[in-house]
Amino acid sequence: MRRYEHPHRLLAIGLAALAGFVDALGFLKLGGMFVSFMSGNSTRLAVGVAGDPRGSLFVGAVIAAFVIGVMAGATVGRVAGRWRKQAVLGFVLLELIVAASLDSGPVVAPLLMASAMGALNAVFQRDGEVSVGVTYMTGTLVKFGQHLAAALAGGPRFAWVPYLLLWLGLVTGAIAGAAVYPALGLTALWIAVAATALLLAGTVAIGPVREV
């Protein structure tokens, strides 16, 4: 995060908020499964295998959909070259539109949501690797803690701030998703669609990346 300019940091926080919003909708729809937090789903899968393997089948499908989304996002980004951020967000937007159109579909919509969240991680890449994880926060919290400890020891005073803001972005988005779900259900995905369109417009304003 520290290596990115201010507009890109704002974009990352916006993407984290989007991921939190969609993940909260998926969590409530699926009764405790995630569509972006695959560490939690991996634990659920393992517990299901040890207990009732049949109950872990859909968790495995969600994880597979996420990985397929990562692959699709990486492919789209590679083909788009310097416009990869815009192309990947366009792909995410398309998947969320289809998922929202399915409304309360019990299977397909959550799988599309998971795929979209997987693809979302391809927005920020360096040398073919994810440079800012916007759908998972464990690494972000580790870096937040490390930089905060360094600041207390006399190091850079505010290097921890970008990581805290990224985490707060996801949490804020998740709170918003949880707040609207009781009234709207998965129809609230149209809010995510609108937010993705705004983020896409923001990336167009930022322009292409400087290097492929």
Side-chain angles (χ1 to χ4, degrees), residues 2-19:
R2 291 190 303 145
R3 293 180 295 177
Y4 286 99
E5 297 174 352
H6 186 63
H8 292 91
R9 292 182 183 181
L10 291 178
L11 173 62
I13 294 169
L15 294 176
L18 172 65

Side-chain angles (χ1 to χ4, degrees), residues 19-198:
F21 184 89
V22 173
D23 204 27
L25 297 182
F27 182 86
L28 293 170
K29 174 65 178 178
L30 297 175
M33 269 184 258
F34 304 93
V35 294
S36 78
F37 179 54
M38 292 303 118
S39 295
N41 280 351
S42 297
T43 301
R44 289 203 56 163
L45 176 67
V47 171
V49 169
D52 179 11
R54 294 172 299 176
S56 65
L57 290 177
F58 189 68
V59 185
V62 172
I63 294 173
F66 182 88
V67 174
I68 291 171
V70 171
M71 295 169 62
T75 301
V76 168
R78 183 169 56 252
V79 171
R82 295 180 65 234
W83 290 94
R84 65 173 177 260
K85 285 181 170 59
Q86 294 80 4
V88 171
L89 268 177
F91 177 76
V92 171
L93 177 61
L94 178 62
E95 286 203 296
L96 289 178
I97 287 174
V98 175
S101 299
L102 295 172
D103 192 16
S104 59
V107 176
V108 179
L111 292 179
L112 283 170
M113 292 161 67
S115 177
M117 294 301 96
L120 197 65
N121 287 287
V123 173
F124 283 95
Q125 293 187 85
R126 283 183 185 271
D127 301 321
E129 299 287 339
V130 173
S131 56
V132 180
V134 294
T135 70
Y136 48 91
M137 289 293 127
T138 301
T140 297
L141 288 174
V142 169
K143 291 179 181 178
F144 164 64
Q146 289 174 331
H147 286 292
L148 185 57
L152 294 174
R157 293 179 60 187
F158 301 110
W160 51 271
V161 172
Y163 302 102
L164 175 62
L165 292 177
L166 190 64
W167 177 77
L168 287 174
L170 185 136
V171 171
T172 301
I175 291 172
V180 301
Y181 182 83
L184 299 177
L186 283 192
T187 304
L189 275 175
W190 288 111
I191 299 175
V193 167
T196 306
L198 288 174

